[in-house]
Structures are given as structure tokens and as C-alpha cells.
Amino acid sequence: MSNETLLLVRRLRRGHWVALDVMVAFLLAVAFASAAQLSHDLPQAVVALAALPVATRRGRPLPSLALSLAAAVPALLLGVESAFLPVAVVLYSVGAQEPRRRAVTGLAAALACVVGALLAAAWPFWTRALGSAGFGVALMGLSWTAGLAVREQQLHAARTAERAVVEERLRIARDLHDVVAHSMSLITMKAGVAGIVAETRPHEAREALRLIETTGRESMLEMRAMLGMLRSENGDPTPAPRLRDLHALAANAGIEVDLHVDTGDLPEGVGLAVYRIVQEALTNVAKHAGTGCRVRVAVPEAGVVEVEVTDDGRATPRDDGGGYGLVGMRERCLAYGGQLTAGPRPEGGFRVVARLPYAYKDTP
């Protein structure tokens, strides 16, 4: 399946899928009703009723299956061997949406009803219906299995995304731990200096205390951002990168990067979050677009830093990729009460914008 097709599928909302189901149910009903009119065969018209529950299969799979079987079984008993086709369509939703036990029960009931009706319609020459029964079993089984496979894939993707969130939060906790540890070391050192020079050089002692106060406030903000995060026992001993390391990151990205940084002094934790967001964005560009990109890091308003990464490559879906890059960037923003927007640009390419506030008011 092409990237364009995948992107179109992702953009369809639930209302679109329901409308598609209604259209399919209508077309099936019209097809069977037309066949009944042309052949003057009343049982064919009954099959048209079996097609109508296809319209509700997405919201209520098992009730739709029961209604479809209620119309299909009489048609099968009257000799319309194709009456199980709407049932096969509904069985896809049963496998895709219902829990495993209920899905298996629905499949078993449908197979028993369809096979039993086919054999009963041909009795006593039931062997003549074995071919139709075998085809019906195969078709309904394949439809149900396809739905079950889709469900398992969705569950796996959800588990993988959840695991990616946990891993990114662990990484955030390690990074913020490094930042706060650095601040505590500075506070300890300056407190020692203030104690030594308090009587002989009071001006220098006051400066040390002022620095302790400033550093302490910033550390409290970093600790507040770390609340709810988990800390891994085996931390990475590599020093945490800083905002000033962005130029080295851009130079080693493997793609052409037009980098503009205009922020001034930022709290260390915020600078680290900006670095990680740019790092993940550049990785996504190299992986999905394969072209150069533009990176802008600026302070558009007091107390807020904004990161914007744009590329001119093909706009491919990125949120469900193997690395779950957008998940990590979003967690970085949420840690500071910010927000992340990402998506294809109208003129082509992809755009990621992250806004991180860092001027918090102290809570009592």
C-alpha cells in the first residue's frame, strides 16, 4: 500500500467509515433486490434484507450478525446459496471488534447456521450442498480471520505506543535528574563559600546567597516537571546535552540543516527538552523525508520557547512509525505543560511545532 493511501486511510474518521458501511449495505441490498426482480425469485429479495445489517456492523457487530443470519437462513433454506455473503461481511467486524471469546462464539454460530441451512435445503441429497457449504465456511472463516488479524495488529500497535511513552518518560526522568543534580552541586558549593566569607566579605556572601536562591527556584521548577516520571536504576552516564550543542547536532545529522537559534538564557531542563525535540525531529526528517530541513528555535513571547522544524520532503505518516518519534516529542512538551502540533504542510513536506512554557508561578 502506498504512503498516499495510508495517509488517506488515517484521515478517515468514524463517521466516514459508517457512511461507507451504509453505502455497501445499500449496494448489496440493491444488487440482490434487482436479481430478485429480474428472476421473479422471492428468496433473492429476502437476501436483500440480510444485507441491511452491514450498515450497523461497525457499531454493533454481534447484533448485526444476528439480524443478518435471521434473514440469510430462510433464504438459504429456500435455495439461495449466495445468501451467506452479507454474513461474511459482518463477520469481519465481529473478528475485528469483539473480544476473542465473543468473536469465536459469533463465528461458530454463523458457521453452524449457514452450513446447517445449506444441508437442510438439499436434504435428502445433502451431499450436493457440500461444495457450497465448504465455500461458505472458507469465505466466512477468511473474513473473520482478517478482522481478527486487524484487531491483533491494533492491539500490538497500542502496546508498542504505550511502551514508547514509558521509555521516553524514563529518559526524561534521567535527563532532569542530571540537570537537578548539577544545580544541587552548585548550591552546595556556593553555600560553602557564603559560610566562609560571611563575616569578612559580606558583599560576596550576599551574591552567593542570591545565586543559591535563583538556582534553587530553577531546580524546583525542574523537579515539578519531573513529578510523575519514573527513574531508571541504570542511568546513562553520558552528560546530558545542552542547548548550545544544537549546532553540533545539526552538523552531524546526516542531512542539510538550516539552523536558527535565538533564545538567550533558558533553564537547563528546558534547553535539554528543546535539544531532544530537535534531535528526534531531525531523525524523523532523515528517516521519512530524506531531504534538508529548517530548524528555528526562538522565544516568541516572554516565558515561552518555540521549536519549529519543517522539511520539503514527501508528507508521509510518522506518528505510528517504528520509533514513535512524535510520541517522545509530545511527552517532552507535556512535561513542561506545553503542546506539540505536527502534520503535513499544504505546500508539501512536514512541519513540527513545539511550544514549551518555562515561566511558572510558584504555587503556595
Side-chain angles (χ1 to χ4, degrees), residues 86-156:
V87 177
V89 176
V90 178
L91 276 174
Y92 172 87
S93 294
V94 173
Q97 295 179 241
E98 294 291 345
R100 178 69 65 89
R101 181 174 298 179
R102 296 177 64 181
V104 171
T105 301
L107 174 65
L111 292 178
C113 290
V114 169
V115 172
L118 285 171
L119 296 180
W123 190 264
F125 307 103
W126 55 269
T127 54
R128 299 178 181 177
L130 290 179
S132 298
F135 178 73
V137 169
L139 183 61
M140 290 188 294
L142 285 174
S143 179
W144 181 88
T145 303
L148 184 65
V150 169
R151 175 179 172 82
E152 292 298 325
Q153 184 181 22
Q154 292 173 344
L155 291 176
H156 174 73

Side-chain angles (χ1 to χ4, degrees), residues 190-208:
K190 288 299 181 181
V193 171
I196 294 173
V197 302
E199 295 183 358
T200 59
R201 298 192 294 274
H203 176 72
E204 185 175 343
R206 285 194 296 271
E207 287 296 319

Side-chain angles (χ1 to χ4, degrees), residues 30-41 44:
V30 169
F32 283 113
S34 300
Q37 184 177 7
L38 292 175
S39 60
H40 302 288
D41 189 2
Q44 288 281 358

Side-chain angles (χ1 to χ4, degrees), residues 3-85:
N3 290 331
E4 290 78 5
T5 303
L6 284 172
L7 189 59
L8 176 61
V9 170
R10 293 170 192 267
R11 288 179 176 176
L12 290 178
R13 299 180 180 179
R14 181 174 178 81
H16 298 149
W17 289 111
V18 172
L20 182 62
D21 288 341
V22 172
M23 183 182 300
V24 171
F26 175 75
L27 292 177
L28 284 174
V30 169
F32 283 113
S34 300
Q37 184 177 7
L38 292 175
S39 60
H40 302 288
D41 189 2
L42 180 60
Q44 288 281 358
V46 177
V47 183
L49 297 177
L52 294 179
V54 172
T56 59
R57 68 186 178 92
R58 198 172 301 273
R60 299 178 177 274
L62 285 179
S64 298
L65 178 63
L67 291 175
S68 185
L69 284 172
V73 169
L76 290 170
L77 291 174
L78 293 173
V80 184
E81 296 183 349
S82 61
F84 57 79
L85 293 178

Side-chain angles (χ1 to χ4, degrees), residues 53-319:
V54 172
T56 59
R57 68 186 178 92
R58 198 172 301 273
R60 299 178 177 274
L62 285 179
S64 298
L65 178 63
L67 291 175
S68 185
L69 284 172
V73 169
L76 290 170
L77 291 174
L78 293 173
V80 184
E81 296 183 349
S82 61
F84 57 79
L85 293 178
V87 177
V89 176
V90 178
L91 276 174
Y92 172 87
S93 294
V94 173
Q97 295 179 241
E98 294 291 345
R100 178 69 65 89
R101 181 174 298 179
R102 296 177 64 181
V104 171
T105 301
L107 174 65
L111 292 178
C113 290
V114 169
V115 172
L118 285 171
L119 296 180
W123 190 264
F125 307 103
W126 55 269
T127 54
R128 299 178 181 177
L130 290 179
S132 298
F135 178 73
V137 169
L139 183 61
M140 290 188 294
L142 285 174
S143 179
W144 181 88
T145 303
L148 184 65
V150 169
R151 175 179 172 82
E152 292 298 325
Q153 184 181 22
Q154 292 173 344
L155 291 176
H156 174 73
R159 288 192 295 266
T160 304
E162 182 179 356
R163 186 165 58 249
V165 170
V166 173
E167 292 175 354
E168 187 62 25
R169 288 182 177 179
L170 289 174
R171 189 179 180 187
I172 292 171
R174 289 195 296 268
D175 290 341
L176 291 176
H177 172 271
D178 294 339
V179 171
V180 174
H182 171 75
S183 300
M184 292 298 102
S185 298
L186 181 61
I187 288 174
T188 302
M189 182 188 68
K190 288 299 181 181
V193 171
I196 294 173
V197 302
E199 295 183 358
T200 59
R201 298 192 294 274
H203 176 72
E204 185 175 343
R206 285 194 296 271
E207 287 296 319
L209 291 174
R210 184 189 61 79
L211 181 59
I212 290 173
E213 180 185 8
T214 302
T215 305
R217 287 180 180 275
E218 292 180 355
S219 298
M220 287 300 296
L221 299 181
E222 303 298 345
M223 290 296 294
R224 185 180 303 165
M226 193 172 63
L227 289 176
M229 304 295 178
L230 298 176
R231 179 69 167 95
S232 174
E233 293 296 331
N234 300 319
D236 186 357
T238 305
R242 299 292 183 264
L243 192 62
R244 62 177 177 269
D245 298 324
L246 278 178
H247 293 281
L249 175 66
N252 298 325
I255 56 176
E256 184 178 350
V257 180
D258 183 10
L259 175 65
H260 295 277
V261 180
D262 182 18
T263 61
D265 293 332
L266 293 176
E268 289 191 43
V270 176
L272 175 58
V274 170
Y275 179 93
R276 294 299 191 192
I277 290 172
V278 173
Q279 182 183 41
E280 194 60 59
L282 293 181
T283 300
N284 279 354
V285 172
K287 182 187 300 183
H288 297 282
T291 64
C293 67
R294 292 175 296 280
V295 179
R296 180 182 63 86
V297 182
V299 179
E301 57 187 273
V304 176
V305 62
E306 184 174 272
V307 181
E308 181 180 16
V309 182
T310 58
D311 66 75
D312 298 326
R314 300 180 63 184
T316 56
R318 303 184 184 185
D319 203 6

